[in-house]
Amino acid sequence: MNLYDLTIHQAHQLLKNREISSIELTKAVLERSAQVEKKVRALVTITEELALSEAEKADKRISDGDFTPLTGIPALVKDNMCTKGIRTTCSSKMLENFIPPYDATVVEKLREAGMVLMGKTNMDEFAMGSSTENSALFITHNPWGLDRVPGGSSGGSAVAVATGEALYALGSDTGGSIRQPAGFCSVVGFKPTYGRVSRYGLVAFASSLDQIGPLTKDVTDSALVMNVIASYDARDSTSVNYPVPDYTKSLVPDLHGLRLGIPREYFVEGMEKGVEEVMRTAIAKLKELGATVEEVSLPHTKYALAAYYIIAPSEAMANLARYDGVKYGFSFQETESMWDALEKTRQFGFGPEVKRRIILGTYALSAGYYDAYYLKAQKVRTLIRREFEDAFERFDAVVTPTSPTVPFKIGEKVDDPLQMYLSDVCTLPINIAGIPGLSIPAGFADGLPVGMQVIGKPFSEETLLRIGFAYEQATGWGERKPPL
Amino acid sequence: MDYETTVGLEVHAQLLTKSKMFCRCSADYADAAPNTHVCPVCLGMPGVLPVINQRAVEYVVMTALALNCTIPEYCKFDRKNYPYPDLMKGYQISQYDAPLGVRGRLDIEVEGQKKRIGITRVHLEEDVAKLTHRSIPGEGSYSLVDVNRAGVPLMEVVSEPDMHSPEEARQYLMKLRTILQFLGVSSGNMEEGSFRCDANISIRPFGSTDSGVKVEVKNMNSFRAVYHALEYEEQRQRRVIEERGRLVQETRGWVEEGGVTVSQRSKEYAHDYRYFPEPDLPPITCSRQWVEEIRSRLPELPDARQDRLMAQYGLSHYDASLLTTSKAMADYSEACVKLNAEVQVEKRAKAVSNWISGEFTRLLHATDIQISDSKVSPEHLVEMLDLIDEGTLSGAAAKTVFEEMFHSGKRAKEIIAEEGLTQISDAEEMKEIVARVVAANAQAVADFKKGKEAALTFLVGQVMRQTKGRANPTVVNKLLKEKLEESA
């Protein structure tokens, strides 16, 4: 077996037993990167020197007996989480040369745990997109079909984990940005409950929807990363002070006693036949594992997309207002007036999708439109949240496909924003409701990955991990490697 | 035609918290070099999040309670969106439709008449950075940004349009400032910009139900400026109406040098702030218990203190109101009265009041010093008053002594000894001086004899001058009369 194909828990065993060193592991991963990167282009920044010096420190910690399951493990961070001294671009011209003076809370925590940071991953600009084609830097390719998109916006993180450019990666998820690319690349992607992981240092897209989570090779690794990043953070007033369990304790390969709901509205029109077939098989497997499965209706689902595209752009409009060329980042200066400089900075600094959403948000909040758009969308949000609450009275979790399609062709949807937005139709209601969602590899349709999404009530991360773990142990879909 | 003026005021007061509104940076940036009180949060770096300063919320609730506001149980912050380089995030965290205090009132007194001014709301927001505009001849202009001020807690108090003259507006402002100072929540310094005021003013013919055209006036950096700007606006608006011109709803800036207001922008270009609830901050729940706890901790406020000074020390309404224009002054005067328990309280209180509101205030204003920073401590002032009471120092000489105390910080006894200012009580010495003055002022003596009483006052003044105020005026009066009658 190649070292870069190891999971975190496998590598940890080897490191602990001194069968390998972190330096060896890190070098293997760096070599793997050098090999695959020209095909997939998942990474915006590679921090080779830093990685090697951190690996050296990790080896020292391990020999001193002062280590955690993540010590010495090579990892990548999506390029919208601040890393002190390492540029954080959000895959935007606007921040192409921005070097943060501080670490995001999650980065700080992972560093303390002994992470070996390999670099930063490509994404849709400011996390706005579902294919990573909106990166202003370059396009990332799906390793399961290089002419296909890896999903987005955490496309770089998903690809990097799928190809062995890191053992795990962090992503952020505002409407499906961890789960959808995880599904497209056949890795495990976890969006925790809103407030479970600190957002401090995550460059904001839509503050009430954004959440950080892990992309990993298997469910056990997801639990291991969650053990470190889940926490209350006094610097994030929306983080919740709720006890953090040891998530690995929930990894039981058995689903007896669990009631699962299958919402009919998530088997939408436009869903690909192949995806539906994979899902039917997967649901049968869940039953086999002991779960009771029943259909459920979540009728307000159909309004989620509309509500999302009011709320997210409204918040984004404000969150992106700070990029004015005065304090940091891209600055257009060949001009006479301050207002002209401000306009040109934003005209040339932002890409078309970002501008589209700023305009959407500006419009939705304008005088005279607020009640009809923003306020109405918030009401829909409440209805969707309640609908899920009701469903969770009867079910321990709800199971859906992660996306209605398999990875689509690069260029296929770039000119049709509505089609692109529909790619997140199964994932964004979960952000709207603020609840956790786990995407796990569910199988393949015509050789392309299909993801299964497991959704639970707030802070039911353990239940979701248990379901994911049982399914994974029974099927092993995630063990297949892309043909690179 | 007679017109009625209507004024509403919006006051912004920086709060005296240790740290800024949403980060840990020190809020006391007064003497700091530019951009030294900054961190990723108040600089609006990508990825940062705000954390509410609990003390700032308490200060606003205290103020709202002092202004008899209702404190809603549900309050929240909102984002106010507008682009400007002094706004680090491109939006200001403020409060839009759920402020910390609503529907209060403030009582003022104008020309002996009590007046009640409604308070619409009290809310909390963050201050913005300070811009300095520079221009180099031939090269163009540029602006400097100092972020020290950005994120300092700022409280906004909005009044109802209940004031009807510039004087009422001035009284309202002074009273509000005094309350903030008594609460200890703001320094209330208008010149330094920690207490700012924008005014909305309109006029209409008396009896008219038409509300008139509202003009917002900005850039007023002192109480005087507010008074003069409103006075100017009243007259300007009247002129426009009488010349059959069209008043426009607009924002005008007060130009101190010219004594005029100048149009800044008309309402057509008004911002659409696109307010929406701040998603980074949970709503604030003001539990009844917490509000009552804060209410119970409120200090004595100016009106209550004024009443107490009158009841406890027998001060007149006028004196008590003067002494309660600032907390420092009220504290100072009470400290003085309490220092010497042997003197009759009411007499001493009156003397203290006279000195503080007279000579002391004059010197404080002239030197721009706060009473609490003065070199004259209550002990020093009381020592001087005791010297006057025991006859060692005349009232007139005391003025000279006090001025010296004020500037040098020396004690009255020292100054008296150094300058020989002990009151002349030796009758022979006095008689000699009186005789000299009578001899040297034949004209005044003649006038007095013709029945001009004013001539006597003049002669008394001459004696006081000769003695550098060391003479006792009552004694001088008596001796002069004797001397004049004797020579008659």
Side-chain angles (χ1 to χ4, degrees), chain A residues 80 89-95 123-129 134 174 202-207 210 311-330 342-343 345-347 349-362 365, chain B residues 44-48 79 81-84 87-91 274 276 278-280:
Chain A
N80 61 350
T89 69
C90 291
S91 292
S92 177
K93 291 273 171 223
M94 192 62 96
L95 292 178
M123 55 187 278
D124 286 299
E125 183 177 5
F126 283 102
M128 296 175 184
N134 292 337
T174 307
L202 169 67
V203 179
F205 159 18
S207 314
D210 295 343
I311 295 168
S314 294
E315 294 180 7
M317 173 278 295
N319 284 329
L320 271 60
R322 70 191 62 194
Y323 306 109
D324 57 6
V326 174
K327 308 168 289 274
Y328 43 71
F330 174 72
L342 176 70
E343 271 176 38
T345 293
R346 293 169 69 80
Q347 181 184 337
F350 288 138
E353 183 60 27
V354 173
K355 286 181 204 164
R356 177 179 294 124
R357 298 202 194 190
I358 291 173
I359 292 166
L360 268 175
T362 305
L365 290 170
Chain B
M45 302 293 282
V48 297
R79 291 186 182 178
N81 299 285
Y82 65 95
Y84 209 68
L87 199 52
M88 295 298 108
K89 300 185 291 300
Y91 57 85
R274 287 163 284 135
F276 73 99
E278 168 56 275
D280 285 332

Side-chain angles (χ1 to χ4, degrees), chain A residues 63-143:
Chain A
S63 68
D64 290 348
D66 160 37
F67 59 89
T68 78
L70 297 189
T71 306
I73 308 289
L76 284 160
V77 172
K78 188 178 180 179
D79 213 15
N80 61 350
M81 289 169 228
C82 287
T83 39
K84 189 174 179 177
I86 302 166
R87 76 181 179 138
T88 299
T89 69
C90 291
S91 292
S92 177
K93 291 273 171 223
M94 192 62 96
L95 292 178
E96 202 171 353
N97 298 306
F98 171 65
I99 297 175
Y102 75 104
D103 270 333
T105 297
V106 283
V107 172
E108 203 174 85
K109 289 191 155 292
L110 287 172
R111 281 190 161 159
E112 278 165 24
M115 162 177 70
V116 173
L117 181 64
M118 311 296 289
K120 308 291 290 286
T121 61
N122 198 22
M123 55 187 278
D124 286 299
E125 183 177 5
F126 283 102
M128 296 175 184
S130 312
S131 68
T132 314
E133 289 166 292
N134 292 337
S135 168
L137 308 178
F138 48 81
I139 287 175
T140 297
H141 300 263
N142 193 316

Side-chain angles (χ1 to χ4, degrees), chain B residues 279-296:
Chain B
D280 285 332
L281 296 171
I284 302 172
T285 311
C286 300
S287 77
R288 296 305 91 183
Q289 192 196 344
W290 181 67
V291 170
E292 288 317 308
E293 190 204 310
I294 289 180
R295 195 196 301 277
S296 71

Side-chain angles (χ1 to χ4, degrees), chain B residues 357-403:
Chain B
S357 51
E359 199 57 15
F360 205 169
T361 296
R362 184 184 69 79
L363 288 166
L364 288 169
H365 280 176
T367 51
D368 198 20
I369 291 176
Q370 301 296 312
I371 194 165
S372 45
D373 300 331
S374 162
K375 287 176 183 163
V376 183
S377 69
E379 288 78 7
H380 290 188
L381 179 61
V382 165
E383 209 173 85
M384 186 192 84
L385 293 177
D386 289 345
L387 288 171
I388 295 172
D389 284 357
E390 68 193 43
T392 313
L393 186 60
S394 76
K399 275 196 179 176
T400 318
V401 171
F402 184 79
E403 191 156 352

